[in-house]
Amino acid sequence: MGEQRAMMKQTDQTTDVIVIGAGAAGMMAACQAALCGARVLLLEKNEKAGKKIYITGKGRCNFTNACETEDFFENVPQNASFLYSSVYSFDPHAVIEWFEAHGVRTKIERGLRAFPQSDHASDITRCLEKEMRRLGVEIRLNTEVEKLLLSDSLNEVGGVCLKGGARLLSRCVIVAAGGLSYPSTGSTGDGYRFARETGHTVGRLSPSLVPFEVQEEDIRKLQGLSLKNVVFTVYGRKQKLFREMGEMMFTHFGVTGPLVLSASARVQDAIAASSLQAQIDLKPALPQEKLDARILREFDSNRNRSLRNALRGLYPSTLVPVIIERAGIDPEKPVHDVTAAERKALILHTKQFALTITALRGFGEAVITHGGVSVRQIDPGTMESKLVQGLFFAGEVLDVDALTGGFNLQIAWSTGHAAGAAAAERAGRCSSPPCC
Ligand SMILES: Cc1cc2nc3c(=O)[nH]c(=O)nc-3n(C[C@H](O)[C@H](O)[C@H](O)COP(=O)(O)OP(=O)(O)OC[C@H]3O[C@@H](n4cnc5c(N)ncnc54)[C@H](O)[C@@H]3O)c2cc1C
């Protein structure tokens, strides 16, 4: 921190609020601070704003979830209570109204996921850029912040130092530099460095909403296989960590898909300690006795055929040899020779298809970062640091994360909105936020 001292003598520019990062949180913060009357400078190291927004929701941007606000928090496994104030102040319905009021027609899909009606994520970015221009936010692209400037006493922010050495002074700085996921979009963890260098605690960082690596060799034969309406269960040492019905897919390294991504958010601590056991119920609609009756029906209509051929009506074709091998049966055995014990083994491996999860995939494949700036050091109403006056954090850089469904962008909008309004007030531009 010593390096941060006495850096506020020479200036290139003075403004009220500097926002670091033109992602979802940074652009919303800039809009809100400017709306509250602050002079705002937004600094983005990429050549364009909102690079990550373009790839959200497979290019369609699931920008929030139209759930009731109370239900929102059930989708936030990490530090949900920290978000009460900011999310109640700018909740999913307010976000939808905000985008509608700023010219984005929206639609609600399965699971209350909200999208631009056009199915173009670019509508969201363009809308934010247009609003920032209207409000007079100065946007500097290709501009990378190197470090934060603090007062001599180290408890007040004074501005930022850019890569190359230029210093920009401001009353407030909002760090909205994102996490570590998909670093190609610009989120390379700089926000965590800024936080640590100014005395903040940054909790363990790990990829979340991310595929699993699996130990069993036979799953390589299933690469590309998609399963719908299966139940996926992950066990910790003492209890069930996750159990849901949905879709998943096998890959060359393990498993992915909506169920797996959701599970990854629930196993963060457990997987850090050891590998985990998981099971897929491939036929959740059929209890064991019904499944047995179904298998017998398949055998009946495939008399004299091999087990391998007889099971094709029951499982996807790539799964048939894997299930038979796991059950320890000769695939060429005629169905009339298959014993009751062998049927029992087939049922077992169908209802409890076992996987050993050895690791999470990396940040390059993770939708979000788990961990971040300790929320104990941040005021939940304003997003201002409790250690450094005038310094705010918003978005993925914070130690909060949610499940898929639009909840993570909602966190970015809500925390950005709160930080923007509060920074304008701290800069003396707005006496009663939210002013609008
Ligand atoms: C593939 C993918 C799909 C997703 N889909 C969805 C979805 O549909 N719905 C949903 O809710 N969430 C989704 N997410 C998660 C969501 O995108 C993030 O939670 C959200 O974008 C975080 O916003 P942010 O503003 O905090 O950070 P970011 O969007 O990462 O923005 C941070 C910005 O800061 C800039 N920056 C970093 N360091 C510096 C520096 N030193 N100087 C200047 N600028 C800097 C970066 O270049 C970047 O532009 C998805 C994520 C991924 C990776």
Side-chain angles (χ1 to χ4, degrees), residues 213-231:
E213 293 189 2
V214 165
Q215 181 176 296
E216 285 76 9
E217 276 301 318
D218 59 357
I219 65 109
R220 323 278 170 236
K221 298 179 198 157
L222 302 177
Q223 181 177 348
L225 173 67
S226 260
L227 299 172
K228 281 192 178 154
N229 299 322
V230 294
V231 171

Side-chain angles (χ1 to χ4, degrees), residues 16 31 40 47 55 118 123 188 195 201 216 231 259 263 285 344 353 366 373 405:
D16 294 327
C31 285
V40 182
E47 69 295 350
I55 59 165
S118 65
D123 279 10
T188 51
T201 306
E216 285 76 9
V231 171
L259 270 183
K344 203 168 166 195
F353 188 89
V373 178

Side-chain angles (χ1 to χ4, degrees), residues 20-27 43-46 48-53 55-58 61-64 115 143-146 176-179 181-182 185-191 193-194 366-368 394-397 403 405-410 412:
I20 306 174
M27 288 195 279
L43 306 174
E44 168 55 54
K45 69 177 171 185
N46 285 330
K48 64 178 178 185
K51 214 166 174 179
K52 188 172 272 176
I53 294 177
I55 59 165
T56 56
K58 298 199 172 102
C61 188
N62 171 201
F63 69 95
T64 186
F115 293 89
T143 305
E144 182 169 343
V145 173
E146 182 70 29
S181 56
Y182 274 68
T185 61
S187 11
T188 51
D190 298 10
R193 180 164 52 81
F194 301 150
V367 172
I368 52 158
E396 197 172 322
V397 72
L403 303 180
F407 304 105
N408 284 295
L409 278 170
Q410 177 64 42

Side-chain angles (χ1 to χ4, degrees), residues 336-398:
H336 53 264
D337 287 343
V338 173
T339 64
E342 286 172 331
R343 284 203 321 273
K344 203 168 166 195
L346 277 177
I347 291 166
L348 176 77
H349 291 283
T350 305
K351 299 293 288 177
Q352 298 170 22
F353 188 89
L355 302 173
T356 308
I357 301 167
T358 50
L360 305 171
R361 293 292 277 182
F363 284 108
E365 292 170 58
V367 172
I368 52 158
T369 310
H370 173 83
V373 178
S374 169
V375 295
R376 281 200 291 277
Q377 295 168 339
I378 308 294
D379 181 319
T382 63
M383 301 299 137
E384 187 171 15
S385 161
K386 292 177 183 171
L387 311 181
V388 179
Q389 196 180 79
L391 179 59
F392 298 76
F393 292 88
E396 197 172 322
V397 72
L398 289 164

